[in-house]
C-alpha cells in the first residue's frame, strides 16, 4: 500500500487550469484556416503571396509558403487558384492593373505628347523600383498562364498603354482589334520605346547602372539618367 501511495504522489495529475490552457492551443492548431469574411480569403492569399514574393523572391513563392504567410491551411491556395501557375498568374494580373493605373495617372498629368511619353516611362521605371519582385514576375512569361481572363485583360491594357505613350493612336483608337493589326512602322516605334525602357529597368534592378551613375556628378539619380536617354532618342511617330 505504501508503495502504491508513493507512485501516486510521484505522478501528480494535471490541474484543471493547465488542462484548460492546452485545449485552446490544440484547438487553434487543429483549425483548418484563419477565419475570413466570405470572399475575403482569396484576396488575403494574394496579399500574402505578394509579401512572400517581395521578401523571398520568385524561388521562395510556393503554395505552402503563401498558406503559412496567410495563416491558413495548406489546401487553401489550391482551392482558390488550382496550382502555383494559377496563383502567380492571378498575382501578375494584380501587378499589371496597378502598373497600368500608375502609367495612366502619369500620362494624365501632362498635355504635350512628348511629355506624356516621358511621364509614362518614368512611371514604368518607378513602379519596378518600388515593386521589383512583382515587376519581375509580370515579365516571366514561362511561369504565367495568359489564357486566364484576368491576366489577359490586364496585360492587354498594359500594351495599349505602351502604344498610347508613343502617340501613335488616339484614345478612341486604342482597341484590341486595332493593336492586332499594326503596321511594321508602328510596331517598330512601340518595340523601340519598350525595349529602351524595359532594358533600362532591368539594368537598374540588376544593379548594372551603378558603375555609370558612379561616374556622373554626385547626386545624379537613375530617373535623371533615364530622362537624358529619352531626350537623346526622341523620334517622331510615323506619319507625323
Amino acid at each position: 500500500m505504501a508503495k502504491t501511495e508513493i507512485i501516486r504522489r510521484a505522478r501528480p495529475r494535471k490541474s484543471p487550469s493547465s488542462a484548460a490552457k492546452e485545449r485552446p492551443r490544440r484547438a487553434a492548431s487543429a483549425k483548418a484556416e484563419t477565419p475570413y469574411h466570405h470572399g475575403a480569403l482569396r484576396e488575403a492569399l494574394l496579399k500574402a503571396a505578394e509579401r512572400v514574393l517581395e521578401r523571398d523572391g520568385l524561388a521562395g513563392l510556393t503554395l505552402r509558403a503563401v498558406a503559412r504567410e496567410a495563416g491558413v491551411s495548406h489546401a487553401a491556395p489550391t482551392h482558390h487558384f488550382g496550382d502555383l501557375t494559377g496563383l502567380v498568374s492571378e498575382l501578375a494580373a494584380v501587378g499589371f492593373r496597378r502598373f497600368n493605373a500608375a502609367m495612366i495617372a502619369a500620362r494624365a498629368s501632362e498635355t504635350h505628347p512628348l511629355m506624356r511619353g516621358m511621364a509614362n516611362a518614368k512611371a514604368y521605371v518607378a513602379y519596378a523600383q518600388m515593386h521589383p519582385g512583382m515587376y519581375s514576375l509580370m515579365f516571366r512569361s514561362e511561369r504565367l498562364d495568359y489564357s486566364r481572363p484576368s491576366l489577359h485583360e490586364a496585360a492587354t491594357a498594359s500594351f495599349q498603354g505602351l502604344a498610347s505613350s508613343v502617340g501613335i493612336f488616339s484614345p478612341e483608337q486604342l482597341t484590341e482589334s486595332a493593336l492586332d493589326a499594326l503596321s511594321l512602322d508602328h510596331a517598330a516605334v512601340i518595340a523601340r520605346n519598350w525595349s529602351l525602357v524595359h532594358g533600362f529597368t532591368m539594368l537598374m534592378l540588376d544593379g548594372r547602372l551603378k558603375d555609370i551613375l558612379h561616374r556622373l556628378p554626385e547626386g545624379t539619380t537613375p530617373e535623371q539618367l533615364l530622362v537624358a536617354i529619352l531626350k537623346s532618342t526622341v523620334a517622331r511617330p510615323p506619319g507625323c
Side-chain angles (χ1 to χ4, degrees):
M1 274 305 262
K3 196 170 186 179
T4 305
E5 253 333 279
I6 290 169
I7 292 172
R8 282 178 182 166
R9 285 173 189 167
R11 295 181 185 173
R13 293 195 304 176
K14 291 180 181 178
S15 67
S17 60
S18 64
K21 285 178 184 175
E22 286 191 2
R23 278 198 296 272
R25 197 176 299 131
R26 282 198 296 268
S29 63
K31 287 173 85 174
E33 56 191 41
T34 302
Y36 289 94
H37 292 295
H38 179 69
L41 179 54
R42 185 179 186 279
E43 182 66 21
L45 288 167
L46 287 171
K47 288 180 179 178
E50 184 175 1
R51 291 195 298 272
V52 172
L53 175 63
E54 296 295 350
R55 184 184 65 229
D56 303 328
L58 189 54
L61 184 61
T62 66
L63 295 179
R64 282 181 173 269
V66 171
R68 282 196 302 271
E69 183 73 20
V72 299
S73 74
H74 291 159
T78 303
H79 174 73
H80 285 275
F81 303 103
D83 56 13
L84 184 58
T85 297
L87 173 63
V88 297
S89 297
E90 293 301 322
L91 184 59
V94 172
F96 271 117
R97 285 194 289 271
R98 293 182 194 160
F99 182 59
N100 296 336
M103 289 192 292
I104 288 169
R107 291 195 298 271
S109 68
E110 300 288 350
T111 55
H112 190 279
L114 177 59
M115 297 309 295
R116 277 202 302 270
M118 288 208 173
N120 194 81
K122 287 192 282 187
Y124 187 112
V125 175
Y127 178 87
Q129 203 166 19
M130 291 178 64
H131 310 283
M134 183 72 91
Y135 179 83
S136 297
L137 172 64
M138 287 157 51
F139 293 98
R140 290 291 298 271
S141 298
E142 79 280 6
R143 298 294 301 270
L144 305 177
D145 178 8
Y146 279 91
S147 69
R148 297 178 81 94
S150 57
L151 179 57
H152 175 76
E153 181 182 339
T156 298
S158 178
F159 186 67
Q160 289 175 325
L162 287 168
S164 172
S165 70
V166 296
I168 290 175
F169 299 101
S170 61
E172 60 272 12
Q173 291 176 312
L174 279 173
T175 63
E176 191 168 352
S177 59
L179 293 173
D180 282 342
L182 290 172
S183 70
L184 183 59
D185 284 344
H186 286 168
V189 173
I190 295 171
R192 182 201 66 209
N193 286 12
W194 190 6
S195 298
L196 190 156
V197 179
H198 182 71
F200 179 91
T201 301
M202 294 307 297
L203 288 172
M204 181 191 67
L205 293 181
D206 291 342
R208 297 301 186 93
L209 293 178
K210 289 180 181 177
D211 187 54
I212 292 177
L213 290 169
H214 179 70
R215 297 165 190 268
L216 293 172
E218 188 176 354
T220 303
T221 65
E223 182 179 298
Q224 288 172 317
L225 177 58
L226 173 65
V227 170
I229 293 170
L230 293 171
K231 286 179 177 178
S232 71
T233 55
V234 166
R236 295 169 67 85
C240 293

